[in-house]
């Protein structure tokens, strides 16, 4: 099911990205090169986010967000509102910044639009986002309001690699991100039609503005804002827009003395980044892992001791049994179909995360943890 789900999400993501590339009028070689660079550079520049990965709800959220952006670039605001609302409904934290960035595109890039269109966009976005917002709100209120201690568990311990800039961002990385920002803005502006470029840059700047607000929130200890994942979208779209702008520029701006010098500089930077991200090695590793996963599924010859143990538990123990299984082993309750005391992967998105933390400490012999996240 997980492997089939990955194929479904990946197909949707690729189709949505192709639609976005067509909206930007990229040629196929430009799109394929841009996609390859973005993908093998890690899909983001910060906060450990990913788009192509496992079978998770946020993958579908990105599908709708890409479709919403493509519709907005064509000024099809009704479609953009529907898709952006669906992105939020499928995954509130994943698509949350999308409608705000699209609203800024509509409001700031003022032409013949009027307040009626703005109201319609907001109303439709909220309408299609409501199922996800309602479910998240119910889950949050059911567990009780969260205080700083509860937010700290998720922000500073469980999800520090996504939510705490002190964990994933250093001062040495700031110039690197700024360089990418200015270069991406230049390439988008020079490569695309002015109207498309302006909308893309408005969209990107809003998402990066949320990123900056997240840093301010960390400095101010406003953990409730960090709990909204403000660092998720900005670095993803910064790398994506850089990639699209870069290869569009290389495909269309190859003549003239000054442009030729710029092209050579961009090519050297591209080679440097390919080495920096170890792209040949990553390509081989990810491809081999993908193929071996499918091979193991079909041959059934690579069952580990853990799988055998889980199969024995499933058939030989009462269904209402509860196990103190390794909390870092995410597969236990899927393979054994039995409850476990606590799973590191499954943290309650409400006040009950305090009980989750207590159980983790109990399995750690009552000792406090010395590091954050999934590391040793």
């Amino acid at each position: 099911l997980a492997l089939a789900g990955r194929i479904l999400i990946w197909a949707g993501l690729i189709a949505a990205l192709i639609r976005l590339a067509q909206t930007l009028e990229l040629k196929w070689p430009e799109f394929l090169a841009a996609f390859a660079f973005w993908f093998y550079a890690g899909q983001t520049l910060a906060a450990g986010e990913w788009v192509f990965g496992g079978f998770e709800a946020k993958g579908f959220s990105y599908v709708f967000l890409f479709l919403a952006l493509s519709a907005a670039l064509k000024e099809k605001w009704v479609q953009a509102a529907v898709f952006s609302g669906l992105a939020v409904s499928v995954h509130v934290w994943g698509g949350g910044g999308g409608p705000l960035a699209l609203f800024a595109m509509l409001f700031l890039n003022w032409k013949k639009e009027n307040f009626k269109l703005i109201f319609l966009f907001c109303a439709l976005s909220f309408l299609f986002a409501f199922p996800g917002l309602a479910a998240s709100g119910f889950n949050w209120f059911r567990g009780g309001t969260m205080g700083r201690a509860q937010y700290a568990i998720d922000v500073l311990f469980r999800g520090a690699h996504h939510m705490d800039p002190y964990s994933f961002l250093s001062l040495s990385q700031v110039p690197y991100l700024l360089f990418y920002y200015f270069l991406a803005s230049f390439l988008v502006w020079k490569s695309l039609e002015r109207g498309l470029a302006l909308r893309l840059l408005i969209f990107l700047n809003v998402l990066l503005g949320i990123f900056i607000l997240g840093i301010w929130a960390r400095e101010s200890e406003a953990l409730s804002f960090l709990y909204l994942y403000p660092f998720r979208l900005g670095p993803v779209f910064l790398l994506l827009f850089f990639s699209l702008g870069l290869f569009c520029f290389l495909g269309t701006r190859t003549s003239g003395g000054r442009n030729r010098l710029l092209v050579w500089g961009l090519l050297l930077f591209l080679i440097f980044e390919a080495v920096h991200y170890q792209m040949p090695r990553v390509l081989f590793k990810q491809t081999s892992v993908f193929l071996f996963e499918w091979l193991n599924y079909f041959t059934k010859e690579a069952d580990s001791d853990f799988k055998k143990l889980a199969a024995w538990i499933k058939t030989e123990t009462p269904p209402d049994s509860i196990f103190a299984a390794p909390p870092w082993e995410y597969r236990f309750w899927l393979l054994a179909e039995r409850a476990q005391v606590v799973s590191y992967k499954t943290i309650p998105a409400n006040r009950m995360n305090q009980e989750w933390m207590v159980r983790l400490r109990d399995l750690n012999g009552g000792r406090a943890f010395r590091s954050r996240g999934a590391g040793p």
Side-chain angles (χ1 to χ4, degrees), residues 20 63 68 96 113 144 168 181 238 245-246 249 261 265 276 298 303-304 306 328 344 373:
L20 177 60
V63 171
E113 292 86 355
F168 63 78
Y181 169 73
L238 176 56
L246 172 64
F249 183 89
L261 182 62
H276 171 246
F298 284 113
D303 286 346
S304 64
F306 179 83
W328 60 85
Y344 182 80

Side-chain angles (χ1 to χ4, degrees), residues 266-304:
L266 290 172
L267 287 174
L268 289 175
F269 177 73
L270 190 62
I271 294 172
F272 173 82
E273 289 296 86
V275 174
H276 171 246
Y277 287 112
Q278 300 180 325
M279 288 187 183
R281 178 175 173 272
V282 172
L283 171 62
F284 175 77
K285 180 180 178 181
Q286 292 190 357
T287 303
S288 61
V289 168
F290 173 77
L291 292 175
F292 278 120
E293 282 182 341
W294 277 98
L295 182 64
N296 291 340
Y297 173 74
F298 284 113
T299 61
K300 303 292 186 182
E301 293 179 356
D303 286 346
S304 64

Side-chain angles (χ1 to χ4, degrees), residues 74-245:
K74 296 178 180 178
E75 299 190 59
K76 297 181 178 180
W77 294 107
V78 172
Q79 288 186 19
V82 172
F83 285 135
S84 67
L86 289 173
V88 175
S89 193
V90 170
H91 195 280
V92 174
W93 287 325
L100 184 61
L102 293 171
F103 173 81
M105 289 173 59
L106 174 60
F107 186 80
L108 296 177
N109 190 27
W110 191 275
K111 289 183 179 178
K112 297 180 180 179
E113 292 86 355
N114 51 36
F115 286 106
K116 182 178 179 181
L117 181 56
I118 293 177
F119 175 79
L120 180 62
F121 175 85
C122 294
L124 286 175
S125 295
F126 178 77
L127 177 64
F128 283 88
F130 181 76
L133 292 173
S136 296
F138 175 78
N139 181 62
W140 191 75
F141 284 111
R142 182 185 60 178
T145 56
M146 295 175 65
R148 188 189 185 285
Q150 290 78 43
Y151 284 124
I153 291 173
D154 213 332
V155 172
L156 304 180
F157 175 71
R158 170 62 177 83
H161 58 297
H162 286 317
M163 292 182 277
D164 182 9
Y166 290 177
S167 176
F168 63 78
L169 194 64
S170 64
L171 286 177
S172 62
Q173 289 176 285
V174 174
Y176 184 70
L177 292 175
L178 288 174
F179 179 77
Y180 256 95
Y181 169 73
F182 287 114
L183 191 54
S185 300
F186 170 79
L187 292 170
V188 167
W189 189 254
K190 286 291 186 180
S191 305
L192 302 175
E193 185 269 327
R194 287 291 179 263
L196 291 176
L198 180 60
R199 294 189 187 96
L200 281 180
L201 293 179
I202 291 173
F203 184 86
L204 177 61
N205 277 279
V206 171
L207 296 181
L208 292 178
I210 296 173
F211 184 97
I212 294 172
L213 283 176
I215 295 176
W216 173 83
R218 182 64 177 91
E219 292 289 333
S220 305
E221 294 294 318
L223 301 186
S224 58
F225 184 78
L226 297 177
Y227 191 68
L228 302 176
Y229 285 78
F231 308 107
R232 171 163 270 162
L233 296 181
V236 169
F237 281 93
L238 176 56
L239 182 59
L240 178 62
F241 289 177
F242 167 81
S243 302
L244 294 172

